[in-house]
Amino acid sequence: MFRSFRRVVLSCVLLAIGSAQANVVVVLNSRDASVQLLDQATFKDLATIAVGKEPHHLMATPDNKSLIVASSVGNELIFLDPKSGQVQRTIKNIPDPYQIGFSPDQKWFVSNSLRLDRVDLYKYDGANMTLAKRIALPKLPSHMAFNAASNMAFITQQGSDQVSAIDLATQTLKWTIPVGKLPAGIAMTPDDKHLLVGIMGSDYVEVIDWRAQKTVKRIKTGQGAHNFRSAGDGRYTYVSNRVSNSINIIDQTTLANVGQINVPGGPDCMEVSDDGKTMWVTLRWVKKVAVIDLTSRKVVKTIPVGRSPHGVFFFNSAQR
């Protein structure tokens, strides 16, 4: 009853926030089971919302009308207003939604269940999610990417050092190949030719020709290459290195490391402003979020947040 009352109070507060400003920064504090809202302009702490245990990742719905927070241990999806952070609704009984994603054609919603060693495929009609198939994978399915045709989903598996391809049309496992130690983030290059895989147990990004089902290159980065965020320009992407405390800039045309930003504190998830000038980064080990000026490649501000901050989002972001 107290939690319900708290949600009502917070909803009133967030309604006021939404009317006062256009956007907030949404940060997931995984260890605190909370969503924290920050003022994008002033960096001030606006509110904290209690959610299910271990919210790790988040993403906007295809129509950009909601922001989905995946509560993995809470087994639920919490829908927020992407501009104000106001809670819209909750879908319960979604087992272990560690990482989530929509296929580019918006017909599939995919949920990686890290602790359950499986991937759940849901058909999506623009509003509702209907479970179509559960596919077991060897160990710890982590991040995901899709091809442009939306008929393939690619899944990294941290516990078995593999990448698997799932055929969405038939809902079957198509292939699995070995990669480096502890593969985490995965991203498709804009030309739809290569998969980039962050090798968290080492210091490189593995480049996979997914049609040939083989590794074709390793791009040297910092230690603990973890997650990706595109710059929104169709060419460059960023990769966070959690161990070496840095972010590298990858040219997706030449498949080369072309720059580095030093970010102490275990940089994890990233969000880039729509003008390409600013990046917000969760610092996993120090309970902070860093704000980076991308022109100078310098951290200009750090903001205290909760324990083990993971996902980060704001509405006025660069195209993914």
Side-chain angles (χ1 to χ4, degrees):
M1 183 174 180
F2 173 76
R3 185 172 179 179
S4 299
F5 174 75
R6 186 180 181 189
R7 284 183 181 272
V8 171
V9 172
L10 280 170
S11 294
C12 294
V13 171
L14 295 174
L15 279 171
I17 291 171
S19 63
Q21 63 182 56
N23 299 293
V24 298
V25 178
V26 180
V27 178
L28 304 187
N29 298 319
S30 297
R31 289 285 301 279
D32 286 343
S34 68
V35 172
Q36 192 163 344
L37 306 180
L38 305 173
D39 187 306
Q40 193 175 25
T42 66
F43 311 128
K44 291 182 179 179
D45 187 355
L46 298 173
T48 299
I49 309 168
V51 295
K53 291 182 179 179
E54 292 195 28
H56 287 288
H57 295 104
L58 72 178
M59 71 174 306
T61 54
D63 60 10
N64 288 316
K65 292 182 179 179
S66 296
L67 173 66
I68 304 176
V69 173
S71 173
S72 60
V73 177
N75 300 316
E76 61 184 10
L77 303 176
I78 302 99
F79 288 67
L80 309 180
D81 183 294
K83 293 183 179 180
S84 71
Q86 178 188 356
V87 177
Q88 296 173 329
R89 64 186 176 113
T90 299
I91 299 179
K92 296 186 178 296
N93 301 317
I94 304 292
D96 188 26
Y98 173 76
Q99 175 66 287
I100 56 176
F102 287 96
S103 59
D105 65 2
Q106 304 175 20
K107 294 181 179 180
W108 292 97
F109 176 79
V110 179
S111 175
N112 287 350
S113 298
L114 185 82
R115 60 187 166 86
L116 299 178
D117 296 330
R118 74 179 190 220
V119 176
D120 292 350
L121 308 179
Y122 295 83
K123 291 185 177 180
Y124 183 67
D125 63 4
N128 302 303
M129 301 168 187
T130 304
L131 182 64
K133 189 72 175 290
R134 286 179 168 145
I135 298 177
L137 290 180
K139 195 67 176 175
L140 304 182
S142 178
H143 292 61
M144 72 182 73
F146 300 90
N147 66 334
S150 295
N151 57 7
M152 298 285 288
F154 304 95
I155 314 295
T156 57
Q157 296 165 74
Q158 289 186 25
S160 56
D161 302 334
Q162 296 171 315
V163 170
S164 293
I166 294 174
D167 186 320
L168 293 176
T170 61
Q171 298 101 62
T172 57
L173 182 63
K174 189 165 185 178
W175 53 255
T176 296
I177 61 173
V179 292
K181 186 178 180 181
L182 296 177
I186 184 169
M188 180 69 74
T189 55
D191 60 10
D192 203 42
K193 291 182 179 180
H194 297 101
L195 290 166
L196 305 179
V197 181
I199 303 301
M200 193 166 55
S202 190
D203 60 352
Y204 62 90
V205 166
E206 194 155 342
V207 182
I208 297 172
D209 180 333
W210 62 273
R211 292 181 176 87
Q213 302 172 33
K214 66 178 182 179
T215 296
V216 295
K217 187 174 184 177
R218 290 181 174 182
I219 305 172
K220 178 79 170 181
T221 60
Q223 191 73 31
H226 182 69
N227 207 3
F228 296 94
R229 176 57 166 97
S230 66
D233 58 3
R235 180 164 183 173
Y236 297 100
T237 193
Y238 299 96
V239 57
S240 56
N241 306 306
R242 294 205 306 192
V243 177
S244 65
N245 296 313
S246 64
I247 293 172
N248 286 119
I249 305 166
I250 305 296
D251 186 325
Q252 297 179 96
T253 301
T254 62
L255 300 175
N257 178 357
V258 297
Q260 180 172 302
I261 306 169
N262 295 321
V263 191
D268 200 309
C269 292
M270 302 159 282
E271 187 68 296
V272 178
S273 61
D274 53 8
D275 60 9
K277 295 181 179 180
T278 306
M279 176 188 286
W280 290 61
V281 188
T282 51
L283 305 180
R284 199 71 182 274
W285 316 134
V286 295
K287 298 190 294 184
K288 292 181 180 179
V289 171
V291 181
I292 298 170
D293 175 70
L294 291 174
T295 300
S296 65
R297 298 183 182 176
K298 301 289 185 182
V299 175
V300 296
K301 182 74 175 179
T302 58
I303 307 163
V305 291
R307 293 182 298 168
S308 193
H310 205 168
V312 59
F313 171 91
F314 46 80
F315 188 77
N316 56 325
S317 61
Q319 184 176 0
R320 294 179 182 274

